Each structure stands twice: as structure tokens, then as C-alpha cells.
Amino acid sequence: LEVLSSLGLGFSIALQPHNLAFCLIGVVLGTLLGVLPGLGPSAGIAILLPVTFGMDPVPAIIMLAGIYYGAMYGGTITSVLINVPGESASVMTCLDGYQLARQGRAGAALGMAAVSSFVAGTAGVVALMVLAPWLADFAVSFGPPEYFTLMLMGLSTVAGLVSGSPLKALIMGVLGLMLGTVGYDVVTGRLRFTLGVPDLADGVHFIIVAIGLFGVGEILASVEDRSHVVHIPRVSLSSVFPTVADWVACRWAILRGTIVGFVVGVLPGAGATVASFLAYALEKKASKHPENLARALSRVWRRPRPPTTRRAPALWSRC
Amino acid sequence: MRALGNPDAIGGVVLLGLAAFYLAETARLPYLARVGVGEGFLPTWLGVSLALTAALLALRGLTAREPQTLSEATDWPRSLALLAGLAALALLMDDLGALPSLLLFGVGAMRLLGSRWPTAVVVSVGLVVLIALLFRAWLGVPLPAGPLGM
């Protein structure tokens, strides 16, 4: 009961008009920053922290939270529209979000990503407040064997995510791990594979690899195949808002994503990137057409219209 | 369609070379430390794994009944030129400065993609100005300046 009253007090403060206004400002600033490739939520907070200097603590924290979530969503925008992840947690959004955009359904993909993120984020915060004492014990009990198992599970999702050759997926996984060995060894602190280049001492960051793979890959695809036409889809405001049918169709996907994100997010060190990989793997497992979620999505699309005017419901869970 | 080679076999051989280089570098690192594993432990196994999987890929490419072939429709000269441009951008950025090297790369890449000279120059200059305003002026990101201070 005390938790509920605390939650009520928190929401009553957060929902005050001026706090909502600061949240909106934070979200707008965070989104603007988040669409820049390589700048994620942490960088967004660091860069925009001076904006909150001199403010009262409550609106300042609310604004910083808005910046964080805005920057997270900014990464989704570039993933869907131009196939370049803005930050590491949006890498999985590229896989089918961009395919939806190429089918003229960018608005639906962006809208549903925002709505599901809001639902999962809110549910996660509430659940965290209610379950925090038990979750703290659970998280602290996680030791090296548990983390090893979690990482092994994360790596094994590569086999589940691949739509082509499992051997090539395995090779890509090994190459990724090899890139991860560049820089300081976390156990001994000695340098490995820097080839005398000081810039490599910090290692090769995940987001740099992701941007390179998706962004440069897209450019090369357009050069290699003369019939490959790159187009940035037009998104109308009306196409962004999900319909009731969208909500019904996406309910299980949102629920599954919320649970996975919450459980993985609670663990220290795992983070949003691992959670997004596991959630995507789970959706592929749950889908009737795991080989191509975006194409399967188009099969359950209602009344297809030309790309610029299509109102596109995202029917994820039927895929 | 003219066959330009077997991609699995070519990829397997290239990866085998990479694995050999990686293992050679790994050989300089201690496999075991005084307590527990050394910094060469994981790389050794990764190198061996890559060598084995790459050999398997090459073997599969060479023994396939209907081997895949690289498409003739692929514009290899332009693709390789773009990759070379990217490598040159990474190498020259510190010496030439971020903005001039990005300008050169932008013009070159757009010409490769078929844009006309005026379009390539105008778009690239606009992009470089935008990057300068956004990253250097607003966000204060220290981009490499080069001899021109740009």
C-alpha cells in the first residue's frame, strides 16, 4: 500500500503541467540529438546536462529523463528511415523497420515503436518500484557463471536470428567477438591487437561497427546493384498514430518485449542492447513467418495504398 | 550470366587469411597468466574457430553441386572505388582535416553514384557546412583540424 501511495505521489508531481512541459522539451532535444548517428542516450545526457543547470531538481530530473527517452527514440528514427542505427539498442530495429519503410510503412513502424516503447517503459518503471527490494537481491546474486550463461544465450540468438546460412552466422559471431578483443584486456589490462594505433586502445565500439555495417552496407548495395533504388520514405503525421487494430494485433509482442526488457534491464551490465537482441529473437520464435517479419507483416496489412498516403497498422504479433 | 567466381570459396579463403593473421598476432600474447587465463586465451580459441569455420565455408563452396557465382550485374569497380574512398577518408582525416576530407569524399562518392558535378559539389558543401555547424559549433565535438585549421 505504501508503494502505491508513493507511486501516486510521484505521478501527481510528474503530471503537473510545467513538469510535462519540461519533459516535452527534454524529449524534443533528446530526439534531435538521438537522430545523429553514434550519439545515444548517455551522450545526449552528457551534452545536454548544462541545460538543466539552475533548474529545480524535480523538473531537471524529469527533463533529463525526457532527454534520455528522446535520444533512445531518435536512434529508432534513423534505423527505420535510413537503415542506420542511431545507438546500439536500435540495431535490431533496422532489420525489419527499414524493410517496412521501403514498403511505405515507415509511419506505422515509427508510431508503433514509440507507443510500445512508452508502454514498456512505463510498465517497467512501475514494476521496478514495486519489486525493487526483491529484484535487488536477485540482481546482486548474479555472479560470473550467471553472466557467462546470459552472454552465451545472447550469442546463441545469432543462430535463431539468421535467415540464411547458419555457418555464415557463426562466422559473423566469431568476427564480432574478435573485434571485441581489440584494446585493453579487461582481466590483465594489457593491450591486444592495436597494431601500434593508440586510437584502438579503447577498443572498437559496438555502435561504430553497427553504423558501418548498416550504413556502408546500404551505400554499397546501391552501388553494386544498379536496380537497387534507395529512397527515403515520406512519413505523414496521420500514419504515425496506431489504430485500435494495431493495438490488438501488437498486444502480445508488446507484452513479451516488456517482460524481456524488464528482466534483462534489471541485471547490472546487461543493458538495452542485449535486451533488444533477446526480444527480437523471441519475436522471431513466436512469429509464424520468422524468415521475414516485415514481409509477413505486409500480408496482414489492411487496404494497401500508395506509400505516401498509406495508413499503416503494424500488426506485429500476427506475423 | 558470366561467373566471376565462387563467393563462398573466395570468402572462405579471405577469412582463412584473416584467421592466420589473427593467430600470428595472438602467438605474441601469453596463453596463461600467473593466476587464471592470459590475454591470449580467448583470442587463440577465436582464431582457431574462425580458421575452422572459414575452411568449412571454402570447402562447401568448392564442393557444392551448383556453386553460387558472383553476379555480373554487380558493379565491382565502383564498389571497390567506394570502399577505397572510405579507407582513404579514415586514413587522411587526421592529416587533411575532417571537413576537407569529408568534402572530397562526398564529391567523389556522389560522382561515383552518378550525380553531376554541380549537384555533387553543392550537396557535399552543404553537408560539410551542416556537419561543422552541428558537431563543431553546437555540440563542441573536436573534429580533426588538419593544416588548414578546418
Side-chain angles (χ1 to χ4, degrees):
Chain A
L1 204 64
E2 188 186 336
V3 170
L4 288 178
S5 67
S6 299
L7 263 176
L9 177 66
F11 276 115
S12 69
I13 295 171
L15 293 175
Q16 285 174 5
H18 71 283
N19 284 334
L20 286 177
F22 279 117
C23 183
L24 179 65
I25 294 167
V27 167
V28 171
L29 287 174
T31 306
L32 286 174
L33 207 66
V35 295
L36 301 175
L39 292 181
S42 305
I45 293 273
I47 290 168
L48 295 174
L49 190 63
V51 177
T52 62
F53 287 175
M55 290 171 61
D56 287 336
V58 171
I61 288 174
I62 288 175
M63 192 170 164
L64 286 174
I67 291 169
Y68 187 90
Y69 279 95
M72 289 284 280
Y73 186 64
T76 304
I77 293 174
T78 50
S79 297
V80 170
L81 295 184
I82 57 173
N83 203 22
V84 175
E87 45 92 31
S88 57
S90 354
V91 167
M92 303 314 288
T93 314
C94 288
L95 299 182
D96 292 299
Y98 182 62
Q99 293 306 318
L100 283 170
R102 292 186 69 183
Q103 294 166 24
R105 290 147 192 163
L110 289 172
M112 213 58 222
V115 168
S116 54
S117 174
F118 174 76
V119 171
T122 309
V125 167
V126 172
L128 184 66
M129 292 178 73
V130 174
L131 303 172
W134 297 281
L135 288 172
D137 291 338
F138 171 68
V140 170
S141 70
F142 247 64
E146 287 82 7
Y147 276 114
F148 177 79
T149 312
L150 185 68
M151 289 302 126
L152 199 63
M153 188 173 72
L155 288 171
S156 65
T157 57
V158 171
L161 292 175
V162 67
S163 56
S165 162
L167 177 64
K168 289 176 184 171
L170 190 63
I171 290 173
M172 287 297 110
V174 173
L175 281 173
L177 286 171
M178 284 167 66
L179 277 176
T181 60
V182 175
Y184 283 107
D185 177 28
V186 290
V187 179
T188 63
R190 283 183 61 181
L191 284 173
R192 293 188 297 199
F193 309 111
T194 56
L195 306 173
V197 180
D199 293 333
L200 289 176
D202 279 341
V204 183
H205 291 277
F206 178 79
I207 189 63
I208 294 171
V209 177
I211 289 173
L213 274 177
F214 284 92
V216 177
E218 187 64 23
I219 296 169
L220 285 177
S222 65
V223 175
E224 282 183 353
D225 184 359
R226 289 168 190 173
S227 63
H228 180 95
V229 179
V230 177
H231 60 91
I232 297 177
R234 293 173 60 186
V235 181
S236 63
L237 191 61
S238 62
S239 70
V240 172
F241 297 105
T243 62
V244 175
D246 299 344
W247 281 100
V248 173
C250 294
R251 63 194 186 283
W252 297 120
I254 293 174
L255 182 66
R256 284 190 289 267
T258 303
I259 293 170
V260 171
F262 180 70
V263 171
V264 178
V266 161
L267 304 174
T273 309
V274 176
S276 66
F277 273 71
L278 293 177
Y280 187 80
L282 183 64
E283 282 315 300
K284 287 206 85 168
K285 194 78 180 168
S287 170
K288 292 173 185 169
H289 304 282
E291 73 285 354
N292 193 333
L293 285 178
R295 187 178 296 169
L297 185 63
S298 68
R299 290 180 191 151
V300 290
W301 222 269
R302 292 176 306 145
R303 297 185 183 190
R305 290 180 235 170
T308 50
T309 58
R310 185 176 296 148
R311 185 174 175 78
L315 306 178
W316 303 99
S317 60
R318 289 188 199 163
C319 300
Chain B
M1 186 179 293
R2 190 163 60 91
L4 295 176
N6 185 317
D8 280 355
I10 294 170
V13 170
V14 170
L15 287 169
L16 264 175
L18 179 66
F21 172 74
Y22 188 79
L23 282 170
E25 288 288 315
T26 303
R28 300 176 188 174
L29 303 170
Y31 186 78
L32 292 173
R34 259 189 301 182
V35 180
V37 296
E39 53 264 33
F41 177 82
L42 179 64
T44 301
W45 288 103
L46 289 175
V48 170
S49 302
L50 183 66
L52 289 175
T53 47
L56 205 60
L57 182 68
L59 199 65
R60 200 177 69 174
L62 291 171
T63 57
R65 286 183 183 174
E66 292 179 7
Q68 291 180 325
T69 52
L70 296 175
S71 166
E72 195 186 37
T74 302
D75 194 340
W76 288 103
R78 280 207 301 179
S79 301
L80 292 174
L82 194 67
L83 281 176
L86 274 170
L89 174 68
L91 289 172
L92 294 176
M93 190 176 274
D94 277 338
D95 296 325
L96 209 60
L99 300 182
S101 51
L102 281 170
L103 179 65
L104 287 176
F105 175 74
V107 172
M110 287 192 70
R111 285 289 298 154
L112 271 175
L113 291 168
S115 297
R116 293 191 308 163
W117 274 108
T119 313
V121 171
V122 169
V123 171
S124 299
V125 168
L127 202 64
V128 164
V129 169
L130 188 69
I131 288 170
L133 289 174
L134 206 61
F135 286 95
R136 187 170 278 169
W138 184 43
L139 298 175
V141 177
L143 299 172
L148 299 174
M150 296 172 68

